[in-house]
Amino acid sequence: MEKKRIILTGDRPTGRLHIGHYVGSLRRRVQLQEEGNYDKMYVFIADAQALTDNVDNPEKVRQNVVEVALDYLSVGLDPDKVCLFIQSQIAELTELTFYYMDLVTVSRLQRNPTVKTEIQMRGFGGESIPVGFFTYPISQAADITAFDATIVPVGEDQKPMIEQTCEIVRRFNHIYGDTLVEPQIMLPDNAACLRLPGTDGKAKMSKSLCNCIYLSDTAAELKKKVMSMYTDPEHIHVEDPGHLEGNTVFTYLDAFSRPEHFAQYWPEYAGLDELKAHYQRGGLGDMKVKKFLLKILDETLEPIRQRRKEFEQDIPAVYDILRRGSEQAREAAAQTLDRVRKAMKINYFDDAELIAQQQKLFNGQA
Ligand code: TRP
């Protein structure tokens, strides 16, 4: 049997999605969708996972489900081609998580780098970490394997989750026989896209740092943010040589600019390498580079804003899309669960052989 190509990925609904999500993952998803080289593609809203570390703010998660759905639809994910669903609506995922919990040790979870940093970041001392949060890598393994996903396009920070998923798959298959499919991670191919810094030059875009450019920002908000972006603090006068390292404007150009943009907006330069060389030599002001970046970002984001505006007019239709997707996803997960229960031999009522054999045993015939 030829292995199917099943693509799956998701996001926590803790806020609107920003351009870091876009270059890190969303743009790739739309590309994959358009290439159409897959048997099935799932993109989902990980609300249950978001609850694991928003215990005190469930309303935030609830309100952001539709925001993320709008972001998905406005970047061009097409519900006719991709199954869009809400994690919490797939009850099978919790059942699968419960079985996987037997296959993972506490020390293995403690060694998961993502869990480790998050424990430190949030200052959960020793034992005070919520169990649901601690075990979310296991539930993520359920998200992936319930759909037999073979390809998981995510950011670099998710690497430990995929590794842990593969371990669970191998362990399950070792104990119960070949049942689950091992997924492969798909990372962005460009370093700038792997982790887009915030507009302030800080390592990560994060809502609490107010350094995000959101997909839903207006043209005016975008302009304000780009014009006040962090560049090179040593590049004071135009004629000073500029540095590219840590220069957020150039990192964004790495992530967003294409040769056509130069032809269209700045034909004085053949491409990004020439622009960079001039900047490093000195004689090129930050404002000019920012204006160029703004044009590129505006061109990229305008169609997204337009589509968002349309979908915002009909929120019931957005929920309908999610409901239909969730029904579809649930059917797929239910099939996997049937397979899992059979492999684990806990499908007692369908197991006529077990029942007959035990009857013999009790009759003293075995
Ligand atoms: N952990 C992912 C994030 O924080 C969201 C997520 C949950 C996910 N389950 C997943 C991503 C399964 C890919 C596959 O963004």
Side-chain angles (χ1 to χ4, degrees), residues 31-259:
Q31 236 171 41
L32 288 166
Q33 166 189 283
E34 294 311 315
E35 285 163 14
N37 177 24
Y38 54 80
D39 296 287
K40 190 81 203 166
M41 184 164 165
Y42 298 95
V43 176
F44 74 99
I45 301 175
D47 62 334
Q49 185 175 104
L51 285 174
T52 66
D53 75 334
N54 285 279
V55 184
D56 299 324
N57 204 351
E59 191 55 22
K60 177 174 95 181
V61 175
R62 184 164 168 268
Q63 293 300 334
N64 277 304
V65 168
V66 77
E67 293 284 1
V68 172
L70 284 166
D71 285 329
Y72 285 169
L73 293 166
S74 54
V75 296
L77 289 177
D78 176 350
D80 290 332
K81 296 180 181 157
V82 174
C83 177
L84 301 175
F85 71 92
I86 307 180
Q87 183 189 30
S88 62
Q89 305 308 297
I90 319 299
E92 284 76 5
L93 297 178
T94 57
E95 184 179 340
L96 208 47
T97 303
F98 192 64
Y99 300 141
Y100 291 172
M101 283 182 165
D102 299 328
L103 310 178
V104 181
T105 63
V106 170
S107 69
R108 176 62 183 87
L109 283 171
Q110 279 167 336
R111 267 186 287 120
N112 182 312
T114 311
V115 174
K116 222 158 119 180
T117 29
E118 288 186 42
I119 289 176
Q120 283 163 0
M121 233 163 58
R122 290 185 173 69
F124 289 134
E127 320 277 82
S128 72
I129 175 166
V131 175
F133 177 77
F134 185 59
T135 55
Y136 92 76
I138 305 178
S139 112
Q140 187 154 338
D143 299 339
I144 295 169
T145 54
F147 303 96
D148 295 327
T150 54
I151 298 160
V152 184
V154 281
E156 200 182 21
D157 61 317
Q158 296 296 306
K159 221 169 162 180
M161 299 298 157
I162 310 300
E163 280 163 11
Q164 181 133 36
T165 300
C166 290
E167 280 175 39
I168 291 173
V169 168
R170 285 195 289 266
R171 194 149 159 72
F172 188 100
N173 288 348
H174 176 72
I175 296 172
Y176 296 111
D178 214 6
T179 313
L180 302 171
V181 181
E182 245 185 88
Q184 252 182 348
I185 192 168
M186 181 188 255
L187 292 169
D189 34 29
N190 165 334
C193 299
L194 222 45
R195 184 161 296 212
L196 199 75
T199 50
D200 57 357
K202 298 245 166 65
K204 214 178 155 171
M205 278 203 179
S206 113
K207 189 161 60 182
S208 52
L209 295 173
C210 297
N211 62 1
C212 302
I213 294 176
Y214 293 101
L215 294 173
S216 47
D217 279 347
T218 62
E221 284 165 332
L222 176 70
K223 183 171 182 193
K224 208 171 123 199
K225 289 179 183 179
V226 170
M227 288 309 164
S228 57
M229 262 173 78
Y230 179 84
T231 56
D232 169 15
E234 290 168 43
H235 188 233
I236 298 164
H237 307 288
V238 173
E239 57 276 10
D240 292 340
H243 300 88
L244 302 175
E245 183 131 344
N247 188 320
T248 318
V249 174
F250 280 94
T251 311
Y252 283 21
L253 285 175
D254 280 330
F256 282 95
S257 76
R258 292 191 307 269

Side-chain angles (χ1 to χ4, degrees), residues 270-291:
L272 191 52
D273 288 338
E274 248 183 46
L275 184 73
K276 284 178 175 173
H278 188 186
Y279 189 78
Q280 285 174 301
R281 273 199 313 275
L284 177 58
D286 284 311
M287 267 308 150
K288 279 192 177 166
V289 189
K290 283 182 176 175
K291 278 188 186 147

